[in-house]
Amino acid sequence: MLVVMKHNASEEDISGVVGTITEMGYDARPIPGGQRTAVGLIGNDGRVDSGRLQGLAGVLEVIPVTHAYKQVSREWKEDDTLVTLPNGTVVGGNELVIMAGPCAVEGERQIIDIAHILCGMGATILRGGAFKPRTSPYSFQGLGLEGLRFLARARDETGMMVVTEALDPEGLDLVAEYADIIQIGARNMQNYPLLRRAGRAGKPVLLKRGMAATIEEWLLAAEYLLAEGNHDVILCERGVRSFAKHTRNLLDLAAIPVVKSLSHLPIIADPSHGTGLRSKVIPLARASVAAGADGLMIEVHSDPPRAMSDGAQSLYPEQFQELMEQVGTIASAIGRVVTAPLEAVTPV
Ligand code: PEP
Ligand code: MN
């Protein structure tokens, strides 16, 4: 951390900064310059409170030179993290992992039937919310425990892994019992009690980016999971709020290579929530793979106009098939492959 002094800062101001840094338990190194002096803080262990330095007399600005996050960073761990699931799917390696399913679990037949279809088309992970974070309290909130049981049945029949959302710390253990991957939604990215609980759940976590979160905030949210001992974390770019209205969210494609260079964690993209528009999901899925995403999360419904949530962004199964083909082509152009389809445990 670098404390830049104002050009007219006095010797007394500089020694005030040096004294405070020393008092905080770090070494201070004044660096005199032509215009002004800067004071380097040596030995930053990630716990430095820059606010304390910012308020001192003669201080112009405090510039962080190391990241506040540690364990999620590439400096901490150079090799890519691989998240291995019980059905053999590995997230973060050379294979592109496809998670697909409806926004919400709406019924037993609905989820089992779509699981068979998606599994046959090459998805290895089934998505579907049993607990839905809805903007309106009057919208469908999900089937809860019953939905989790239906997801488990779909897993038993197809061999697909299940990713589903946990909404609150109290409900997290129940979700962890049924899910293979616990999803933390955009609205909960900074729900720290929830993150801590997920960090102790013993199951991989899919952490979606908050709708107005910077990459640093997102990585710090992931740090909560690693700090609790859970290293099986998958990041998911799902679009951020923007001034523009042409899509539901603005899928931040640049975040994919940026996160890849800052962190060893796998990152997937969700062009369904990222665009909110069925017709834009395939192009953005292609772009996400080209940008280096380790996988995709795609909403698919067998009858989108009748979906109980997010029908407008849900693909028809035939469109999902088309997406799989196109994404396979993009993957091979960059030396990757889509995960091989699972053999269905029970034929449809
Ligand atoms: C979802 O995956 O259905 C969902 C609610 O996503 P997000 O948290 O990204 O809005
Ligand atoms: Mn949705």
Side-chain angles (χ1 to χ4, degrees):
M1 189 170 279
L2 210 55
V3 184
V4 182
M5 305 301 293
K6 290 180 182 159
H7 71 96
N8 59 354
S10 65
E11 281 306 320
E12 207 183 344
D13 292 340
I14 296 169
S15 26
V17 169
V18 170
T20 304
I21 292 176
T22 315
E23 204 184 293
M24 287 163 78
Y26 304 99
D27 286 336
R29 192 168 302 160
I31 311 159
Q35 298 284 322
R36 59 184 89 245
T37 294
V39 184
L41 182 150
I42 318 289
N44 189 348
D45 54 3
R47 291 166 206 256
V48 180
D49 174 13
S50 63
R52 190 162 166 199
L53 298 164
Q54 191 80 64
L56 296 177
V59 171
L60 179 68
E61 60 175 332
V62 178
I63 304 174
V65 291
T66 48
H67 301 297
Y69 48 82
K70 282 199 294 194
Q71 297 190 53
V72 302
S73 74
R74 277 268 178 219
E75 287 95 63
W76 183 270
K77 180 173 175 281
E78 209 178 307
D79 299 337
D80 289 341
T81 286
L82 305 179
V83 177
T84 304
L85 302 168
N87 74 349
T89 300
V90 179
V91 190
N94 195 46
E95 293 185 355
L96 210 69
V97 174
I98 311 296
M99 311 182 183
C103 179
V105 181
E106 299 168 1
E108 183 170 23
R109 275 279 38 104
Q110 172 245 15
I111 193 70
I112 292 178
D113 289 350
I114 195 81
H116 279 290
I117 292 169
L118 297 170
C119 185
M121 292 176 174
T124 62
I125 300 177
L126 177 66
R127 63 145 291 141
F131 297 94
K132 294 302 303 174
R134 303 306 300 279
T135 303
S136 162
Y138 307 115
S139 303
F140 175 57
Q141 304 285 309
L143 297 181
L145 175 58
E146 203 184 18
L148 294 177
R149 293 197 174 122
F150 296 159
L151 283 164
R153 262 171 237 161
R155 169 179 48 217
D156 293 344
E157 285 201 20
T158 61
M160 293 174 93
M161 297 282 89
V162 165
V163 56
T164 193
E165 180 162 356
L167 276 190
D168 43 51
E170 304 74 43
L172 190 128
D173 293 348
L174 181 67
V175 171
E177 230 179 89
Y178 287 86
D180 300 292
I181 304 174
I182 303 161
Q183 178 169 323
I184 305 285
R187 292 157 190 79
N188 265 322
M189 189 204 81
Q190 287 180 309
N191 182 337
Y192 300 119
L194 179 65
L195 293 171
R196 285 197 192 282
R197 191 84 167 231
R200 295 194 296 266
K203 288 273 172 84
V205 174
L206 179 90
L207 179 64
K208 289 195 149 196
R209 180 180 181 183
M211 51 188 85
T214 63
I215 287 181
E216 174 150 69
E217 287 163 342
W218 188 17
L219 292 177
L220 279 167
E223 186 80 19
Y224 270 83
L225 299 165
L226 274 77
E228 290 294 331
N230 192 343
H231 296 259
D232 287 334
V233 176
I234 304 161
L235 300 168
C236 177
E237 165 58 42
R238 48 78 73 201
V240 290
R241 278 278 162 88
S242 134
F243 54 87
K245 295 268 186 290
H246 58 288
T247 51
R248 179 180 178 182
N249 290 298
L250 185 69
L251 189 70
D252 182 3
L253 289 172
I256 298 167
V258 168
V259 164
K260 279 258 156 229
S261 59
L262 295 174
S263 176
H264 51 84
L265 295 175
I267 176 168
I268 68 159
D270 170 356
S272 304
H273 293 87
T275 63
L277 301 167
R278 185 178 308 127
S279 64
K280 305 296 175 282
V281 172
I282 295 181
L284 269 296
R286 292 194 303 251
S288 302
V289 172
D294 295 305
L296 296 170
M297 173 175 263
I298 306 291
E299 285 188 342
V300 187
H301 196 284
S302 46
D303 189 3
R306 291 206 171 73
M308 294 172 89
S309 60
D310 286 349
Q313 67 194 34
S314 298
L315 298 186
Y316 285 89
E318 314 81 78
Q319 290 178 301
F320 180 70
Q321 175 72 55
E322 195 183 326
L323 177 147
M324 290 298 282
E325 284 158 18
Q326 296 192 9
V327 149
T329 307
I330 305 275
S332 66
I334 54 167
R336 299 183 84 162
V337 283
V338 176
T339 305
L342 302 167
E343 298 297 330
V345 178
T346 313
V348 195

